[in-house]
Amino acid sequence: MPILIKGGHVIDPGRFVGIADVLIEKGKIAAVGPNLSSPVDARTIRANGKLVMPGLVDLHVHFREPGFEYKETIQSGSAAAVAGGFTTVCCMPNTNPVNDNQAVTEFILERARLAGLANVLPIGAITKGSEGKELAEIGDLRRSGCVAISDDGKPVMNSLVMRRAMEYALAFDLTVVDHCEDLHLAECGCMNEGLVSTELGLPGIPAAAEDVMVARNLSLSELTGARLHLAHISTAGSVRMVREAKGRGIHVTAEACPHHFLLTEELVRGYNTHAKMNPPLRTWTDVQAIKEGLRDGTIDVIATDHAPHATQEKQQDFTEAPFGIVGLETALPLTLGLVEEGILSLEQAVQKLTSAPAAAFGLKKGTLAVGADADVVIVDQQEQWEVDPSKFRSKSRNTPFAGWKVKGRMNTTIVDGRVVFETGPVER
Ligand SMILES: [Zn+2]
């Protein structure tokens, strides 16, 4: 059935901003413009006063299937994604087995197809088993549907292996994504190294553990010419180096997560395990640098690093609990908070969640161009709501944002021209 979205505030980053109608036919964007006439059999959705934008694209999620289905499945993760406005998500390979081969990639794509909600695009491993030793069959991964390669969570320590990975990635037109962390420097740290870690008696991860790997990866990208995407950067040093590298024309993009532009290490006081993530929450100075990086375009992308864990896992001692928080159902309002704060324009905020991530991986997503896949979201920018983890579609509840009052409510999520999520009040 065709869908006509009437009278919304359309934001198609870099292409069009203004009041317009959006017509969807046969799963594609058929027209964007004023006063479009409705095909006879179309469903009309009135969007007056609402934002209408491309479906959000998340370059960094962990859907835990195969292997850890008690934390999240591709079905539950996809439901969380569309509830949060994400129509395309790229899932990291640290499942069990690791997504380092065609069979796992095909399994993920099949599960995503059965779920029938979001576009779930697998990221293949860089090395076999993400063990950092032998390269995975990168060409096979590409052919079977992987959209990038990464050993997220178990970063490649050997710089020669990383160089070879970048050379292959370039040959296969894939982006290399790195979680920048020198595991030797990070040692057994569980929070940012500094005054707070000393006061709490917890082992720290210095900012330098991230910075040295950002520096290495930028050098290797310069050497090989490969497209490099830096996952979840968290330090002032990373922002500074990426800014400098972009100035010299290195093919790098960078992402930041909402928790790294909103929270500091202070949240760890009280040994709150929902403040335990990797990279860890840093200092106020780092948060300011991340915001400035987002503002000036050094940081292209906002991603969630959606990392579900079961309640009993997060209820362990701070040193024992796993790293990570869920993010898909809170990222949009938290990002819109940067608009309220005056850090980003509305168009910039939308761009960092749509066209910019799509461009970083070369995906034909994140646009309302005529002929593009009809992945569209309608958002009530003014509606306030309180984050209640018990209402999450995700199987997991591990968020530091419980109880936060946020602004910006998802109304409708459309994937390939089908309404896959809807919440009231929606006028018809
Ligand atoms: Zn990571």
Side-chain angles (χ1 to χ4, degrees):
M1 191 208 296
I3 298 173
L4 181 63
I5 304 168
K6 292 283 289 177
H9 180 188
V10 175
I11 301 179
D12 187 7
R15 296 171 40 82
F16 176 82
V17 176
I19 306 295
D21 301 344
V22 176
L23 178 64
I24 295 168
E25 281 180 317
K26 298 193 175 81
K28 304 285 179 191
I29 304 292
V32 178
N35 305 316
L36 298 180
S37 56
S38 176
V40 273
D41 53 342
R43 173 180 167 190
T44 299
I45 301 176
R46 301 207 175 279
N48 305 58
K50 310 262 174 78
L51 302 178
V52 176
M53 50 205 210
L56 312 184
V57 178
D58 191 351
L59 298 184
H60 197 145
V61 304
H62 299 272
F63 276 0
R64 309 302 192 198
E65 186 179 2
F68 307 98
E69 290 82 354
Y70 66 96
K71 298 176 194 256
E72 194 82 286
T73 61
I74 290 165
Q75 166 74 43
S76 63
S78 299
V82 296
F86 289 92
T87 54
T88 298
V89 293
C90 302
C91 55
M92 285 295 179
N94 62 335
T95 46
N96 184 18
V98 169
N99 183 14
D100 61 2
N101 66 77
Q102 198 173 334
V104 179
T105 300
E106 285 170 357
F107 170 85
I108 292 167
L109 289 170
E110 176 61 10
R111 283 298 157 117
R113 197 186 61 76
L114 290 172
L117 295 168
N119 302 295
V120 179
L121 307 178
I123 296 171
I126 294 175
T127 61
K128 289 185 177 156
S130 285
E131 285 177 351
K133 293 177 187 134
E134 204 182 329
L135 288 182
E137 296 294 342
I138 293 168
D140 280 359
L141 290 169
R142 171 60 150 170
R143 275 185 292 277
S144 49
C146 286
V147 294
I149 52 171
S150 181
D151 276 352
D152 181 55
K154 283 183 79 182
V156 178
M157 287 297 100
N158 183 319
S159 300
L160 178 61
V161 173
M162 194 60 160
R163 175 190 181 166
R164 296 285 177 245
M166 286 195 188
E167 288 166 346
Y168 274 95
L170 186 64
F172 291 110
D173 192 26
L174 283 168
T175 303
V176 178
V177 184
D178 201 38
H179 163 129
C180 300
E181 181 185 11
D182 183 312
L183 297 175
H184 305 291
L185 262 179
E187 232 183 330
C188 300
C190 62
M191 69 169 293
N192 183 50
E193 180 179 309
L195 272 176
V196 180
S197 68
T198 307
E199 281 179 45
L200 296 178
L202 290 171
I205 302 171
E210 177 170 314
D211 296 351
V212 297
M213 292 307 264
V214 168
R216 179 200 75 171
N217 290 331
L218 291 170
S219 290
L220 291 178
S221 169
E222 186 169 19
L223 174 66
T224 60
R227 270 198 335 255
L228 170 67
H229 179 73
L230 301 177
H232 47 46
I233 64 171
S234 70
T235 67
S238 296
V239 177
R240 195 170 58 235
M241 286 185 276
V242 173
R243 185 178 288 127
E244 189 270 347
K246 282 189 165 183
R248 290 192 298 114
I250 294 175
H251 293 173
V252 61
T253 49
E255 85 193 14
C257 302
H259 45 277
H260 287 130
F261 59 71
L262 287 169
L263 306 174
T264 70
E265 59 182 359
E266 291 293 328
L267 197 69
V268 180
R269 292 187 191 279
Y271 303 93
N272 175 3
T273 59
H274 290 157
K276 182 175 178 181
M277 55 283 277
N278 193 1
L281 298 177
R282 304 283 187 185
T283 66
W284 186 86
T285 310
D286 296 301
V287 168
Q288 297 311 308
I290 297 289
K291 285 183 180 175
E292 179 55 23
L294 286 163
R295 195 195 63 75
D296 75 6
T298 301
I299 302 174
D300 311 78
V301 169
I302 293 173
T304 67
D305 192 8
H306 178 83
H309 292 293
T311 304
Q312 64 272 21
E313 293 173 309
K314 276 295 199 182
Q315 279 172 345
Q316 299 176 88
D317 281 350
F318 195 88
T319 50
E320 299 295 318
F323 291 102
I325 59 168
V326 292
L328 284 167
E329 293 169 82
T330 49
L332 176 66
L334 295 175
T335 301
L336 291 176
L338 291 178
V339 179
E340 294 263 308
E341 226 189 298
I343 308 280
L344 299 181
S345 70
L346 184 55
E347 188 179 359
Q348 268 183 312
V350 174
Q351 179 190 35
K352 287 179 198 297
L353 288 164
T354 58
S355 55
F361 283 8
L363 309 174
K364 291 193 178 70
K365 292 288 181 186
T367 173
L368 298 177
V370 170
D373 295 340
D375 298 346
V376 185
V377 293
I378 304 173
V379 179
D380 186 335
Q381 196 192 349
Q382 298 309 323
E383 189 179 335
Q384 282 201 326
W385 55 286
E386 188 175 317
V387 176
D388 176 358
S390 72
K391 298 210 171 93
F392 284 168
R393 268 74 173 177
S394 169
K395 271 196 179 185
S396 292
R397 307 276 174 257
N398 49 314
T399 174
F401 299 112
W404 278 44
K405 297 215 172 33
V406 295
K407 228 166 121 182
R409 183 83 156 174
M410 278 308 308
N411 281 173
T412 309
T413 305
I414 297 169
V415 173
D416 282 331
R418 289 181 304 123
V419 174
V420 291
F421 174 82
E422 215 163 7
T423 186
V426 179
E427 293 177 66
R428 309 231 165 151

